Amino acid sequence: MTENVFEKMAERYDTAERKSLAQIITKEIEPEFHGKIMDYGSGTGLVSLPLAHQAEELILVDAAENMLAVAEHKIQQQRLTNARVLHADFTNGAPKISVDTIMMSLVLLHIPDTKKILTELFELLPKGGKLLIVDFMKNSSVRHPKVHSGFDPAELTSRLKTIGFSKVNIHDFYHGEKIFMNQAADLFLATCYK
């Protein structure tokens, strides 16, 4: 089994830079944040926990137990009664969860088989359900064996529609310096309806 580097980073994950980027992402997804929501690859909850008060239920899912321990501590500190954590790696099969919306923020770039994970998430959603993906636009300056170098909107739209999503809207919403493997990059939000 491959070592999960996020297990080792958990206690020091919430840096000033990550918090700042998370706030930008949180603001962008806020209008879509309602109902029963799953934050897939939630990490410590930097993006979703500030919006927990808008959700009927918030489930933070991650494959790194140490990240979820930090998230659980935040949930208890904030006395959130509608949020919980779930340790799971959907690349090895998804547990049955009932949600209206699934979000993944800066997660897809870490998953080798994007078609498989997107299919798993599609299967979890009800008809009319929504998948929100925040990630980096394709960036030729980024080359790393363990991450995708961002995503081309046309290619991602095609993949999502092939999986079964009926409507996909992708727009970029932020440009930052040194935010993607120390390179300048653009963030996009893909809103995908089943």
Side-chain angles (χ1 to χ4, degrees):
M1 185 167 146
T2 313
E3 184 180 20
N4 187 332
V5 296
F6 292 102
E7 290 288 11
K8 291 183 175 181
M9 306 174 60
E11 289 298 323
R12 61 185 197 284
Y13 188 78
D14 292 6
T15 63
E17 294 83 10
R18 284 196 182 101
K19 287 178 182 178
S20 177
L21 192 58
Q23 287 174 345
I24 292 162
I25 296 168
T26 298
K27 185 176 178 190
E28 184 66 23
I29 65 168
E30 185 175 9
E32 306 290 341
F33 212 86
H34 46 80
K36 293 181 179 179
I37 300 171
M38 177 176 70
D39 180 355
Y40 181 76
S42 66
T44 63
L46 275 177
V47 173
S48 61
L49 282 177
L51 297 174
H53 64 282
Q54 291 184 198
E56 181 183 329
E57 180 183 19
L58 173 60
I59 305 167
L60 289 85
V61 177
D62 206 287
E65 289 183 278
N66 292 341
M67 289 288 211
L68 290 177
V70 174
E72 179 65 37
H73 180 70
K74 291 179 185 179
I75 290 168
Q76 290 174 8
Q77 267 189 326
Q78 297 173 39
R79 295 186 173 92
L80 297 172
T81 57
N82 64 332
R84 65 184 172 97
V85 301
L86 174 65
H87 179 246
D89 180 354
F90 285 28
T91 60
N92 298 321
K96 295 296 170 213
I97 301 172
S98 174
V99 293
D100 308 308
T101 300
I102 298 171
M103 63 160 283
M104 53 191 321
S105 174
L106 304 180
V107 173
L108 197 59
L109 76 155
H110 295 286
I111 300 174
D113 189 345
T114 58
K115 184 176 183 189
K116 182 178 178 185
I117 190 63
L118 292 171
T119 301
E120 290 280 358
L121 298 176
F122 175 83
E123 295 298 328
L124 275 182
L125 287 168
K127 182 77 176 151
K130 187 170 41 179
L131 172 64
L132 305 173
I133 302 169
V134 174
D135 223 309
F136 294 109
M137 291 285 194
K138 190 84 169 164
N139 189 332
S140 58
S141 301
V142 174
R143 287 187 184 85
H144 191 279
K146 295 198 176 186
V147 296
H148 296 278
S149 57
F151 298 94
D152 174 85
E155 289 173 13
L156 184 58
T157 298
S158 175
R159 170 155 290 173
L160 288 159
K161 288 193 170 180
T162 299
I163 288 166
F165 286 96
S166 60
K167 186 173 152 191
V168 178
N169 296 315
I170 298 178
H171 70 274
D172 62 325
F173 66 91
Y174 180 74
H175 174 84
E177 298 299 319
K178 298 185 177 185
I179 60 170
F180 185 18
M181 305 293 284
N182 222 19
Q183 301 292 323
D186 294 305
L187 283 172
F188 68 82
L189 170 62
T191 308
C192 321
Y193 297 90
K194 183 169 179 177

